[in-house]
């Protein structure tokens, strides 16, 4: 379709984007003081069977929006999904497969907390079809883990990674830097200890103070902005020397081990969101929509329905696309913009030129990518694309 026709018709897809599924499990043993996710301290045993039934209710309500499409990845996140038994995860994945086509090579990730790790449970998840485990280790120093309010020790984290690698060949380790009272040397030592554990994927996040958290109302002493920028730079150098490819702001992978599921978010693909507070994005031939499930687990379990499917205004799509795609260190192919927003590339030409003039992106026929300056001032770069 020509650019002129696209401009006249607004959103139009010749081929719909790849499709993923996000499943939210909203419970944790204890709420961490920095956490702003939709996670709730469990009290007593979890209503696993009722929750899985509610997940199927969500999925069935969304099915008419994705008839005939295949899932290329599933991500079971939270919260702490590893609080659920292997039997419940098996029932969940079997139920998803009964309702939707799942690609034979689909990446299926489950998030696990080292404080709830058990070898038999990990084997059960693998048998249920999970083929990638993501471990929320955060630090390998006991004092820092205590400062973060984590329920596990460094020794438990090491054991959990060993157990995970004995069962899964694809494991991600989440680490944080910029922790209370952390020096640059401590951050580097933590990262080196994480690399030594031998996972093929590592995510390194900066601790930030988010509204509605304990840390936000009673802020601990955190390293300043320059120290955190140095930690990030040194982390990138250390991981590159260790053979990891830096492919997104916080994500590092050995060759061939990039997360397919997360890449689909960053490349502005489609995803169904099921579970308390989960949200998703689905494209149709002439529009792009978002949906969000009821947030409170109690209301959610009582059957509160999806808060509704809303069409994203075409004028907002360029910003939404850039919010994700500009996090990719290698940027994106120019054709991806049209493939994922359904809009003509002409609608962003003036803004791309503006970003280029400011030295925030570089462009070739093959690639649009953030420069080093663009990565350092990512918010400023993304905001250029606001409607
Ligand atoms: S374990 Fe993860 S999801 Fe749960 S409260 Fe802590 S940071 Fe949040």
């Amino acid at each position: 379709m020509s650019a002129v026709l696209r401009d006249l018709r607004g959103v139009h897809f010749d081929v719909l984007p790849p499709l993923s599924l996000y499943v939210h499990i909203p419970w944790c043993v204890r709420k961490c003081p920095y956490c702003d996710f939709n996670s709730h301290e469990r009290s007593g045993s979890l209503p696993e069977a009722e929750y899985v039934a509610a997940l199927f209710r969500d999925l069935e309500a969304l099915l008419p929006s994705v008839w005939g499409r295949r899932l290329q990845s599933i991500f079971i996140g939270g919260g702490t999904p590893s609080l659920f038994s292997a039997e419940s995860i098996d029932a969940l994945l079997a139920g998803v497969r009964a309702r939707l086509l799942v690609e034979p090579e689909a990446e299926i990730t489950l998030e696990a907390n080292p404080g709830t790790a058990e070898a038999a449970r990990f084997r059960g998840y693998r048998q249920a079809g999970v083929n990638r485990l993501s471990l929320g280790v955060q630090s390998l120093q006991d004092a820092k883990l205590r400062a973060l309010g984590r329920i596990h020790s460094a020794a438990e984290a090491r054991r959990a990674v060993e157990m995970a690698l004995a069962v899964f060949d694809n494991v991600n380790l989440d680490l944080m830097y910029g922790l209370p009272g952390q020096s640059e040397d401590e951050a580097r030592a933590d990262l080196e200890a994480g690399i030594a554990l031998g996972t093929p994927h590592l995510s390194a996040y900066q601790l930030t103070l988010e509204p509605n958290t304990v840390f936000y109302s009673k802020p601990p002493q955190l390293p300043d902005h320059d120290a955190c920028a140095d930690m990030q730079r040194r982390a990138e150098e250390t991981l590159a020397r260790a053979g990891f490819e830096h492919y997104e702001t916080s994500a590092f992978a050995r060759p061939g081990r990039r997360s397919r599921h997360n890449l689909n978010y960053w490349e502005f693909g489609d995803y169904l969101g099921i579970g308390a507070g989960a949200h998703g994005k689905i494209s149709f031939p002439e529009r792009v929509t978002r949906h969000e499930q009821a947030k409170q687990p109690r209301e959610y379990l009582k059957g509160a329905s999806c808060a509704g499917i809303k069409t994203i205004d075409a004028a907002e799509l360029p910003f939404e696309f850039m919010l994700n795609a500009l996090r990719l260190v290698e940027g994106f192919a120019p054709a991806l913009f049209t493939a994922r927003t359904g809009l003509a590339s002409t609608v962003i030409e003036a803004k791309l030129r503006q970003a280029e003039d400011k030295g925030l992106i570089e462009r070739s026929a093959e690639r649009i990518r953030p420069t080093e300056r663009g990565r350092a001032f990512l918010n400023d770069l993304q905001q250029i694309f606001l409607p």
Side-chain angles (χ1 to χ4, degrees), residues 123-289:
R123 281 195 296 274
Y125 295 148
R126 182 74 193 91
Q127 277 158 12
V130 173
N131 53 25
R132 183 172 183 271
L133 206 74
S134 180
L135 281 166
V137 164
Q138 318 312 357
S139 173
L140 289 155
Q141 293 170 6
D142 284 332
K144 295 293 178 249
L145 288 168
R146 276 195 298 276
L148 289 173
R150 301 291 303 192
I151 58 166
H152 64 269
S153 64
E156 282 170 328
R158 286 197 167 84
R159 260 199 311 280
V161 177
E162 269 169 36
M163 275 192 266
L165 285 170
V167 179
F168 298 89
D169 66 345
N170 205 357
V171 177
N172 168 58
L173 196 76
D174 276 349
L175 285 178
M176 293 173 99
Y177 64 92
L179 305 181
Q182 191 177 42
S183 68
E184 287 178 40
D185 284 344
E186 282 176 330
R188 199 187 48 210
D190 228 4
L191 184 68
E192 282 171 352
I195 294 171
L197 293 175
T199 59
H201 195 286
L202 211 144
S203 305
Y205 300 100
Q206 184 185 340
L207 173 64
T208 51
L209 300 180
E210 303 297 335
N212 302 318
T213 62
V214 173
F215 273 8
Y216 193 78
S217 45
K218 289 187 207 140
Q221 191 67 40
L222 298 183
D224 65 21
H225 175 81
D226 287 352
C228 287
D230 279 348
M231 287 177 192
Q232 166 79 16
R233 193 175 39 75
R234 285 168 73 173
E236 289 173 13
E237 289 165 5
T238 307
L239 282 155
R241 272 199 305 277
F244 284 83
E245 297 166 346
H246 183 200
Y247 67 104
E248 183 269 349
T249 307
S250 311
F252 302 81
R254 294 209 177 274
R257 293 314 183 94
R258 297 179 183 204
S259 162
R260 214 173 156 201
H261 185 86
N262 289 338
L263 269 173
N264 196 35
Y265 293 146
W266 298 320
E267 292 180 346
F268 208 51
D270 280 357
Y271 54 100
L272 303 167
I274 63 173
H279 51 89
K281 160 187 170 277
I282 310 176
S283 303
F284 295 84
E286 310 289 338
R287 68 200 160 99
V288 182
T289 65

Side-chain angles (χ1 to χ4, degrees), residues 28 30-32 34-35 37 39 78-80 113 150:
C28 290
R30 195 166 70 204
K31 182 82 179 172
C32 301
Y34 59 89
C35 176
F37 298 145
S39 60
T80 304
N113 186 320
R150 301 291 303 192

Side-chain angles (χ1 to χ4, degrees), residues 318 322 332 337 344-353 368 385:
M322 294 297 177
F332 54 92
F337 176 78
S345 57
T346 46
V347 303
I348 49 164
E349 183 49 37
K351 294 192 173 189
L352 284 174
R353 219 173 298 134
I368 296 171
F385 296 91

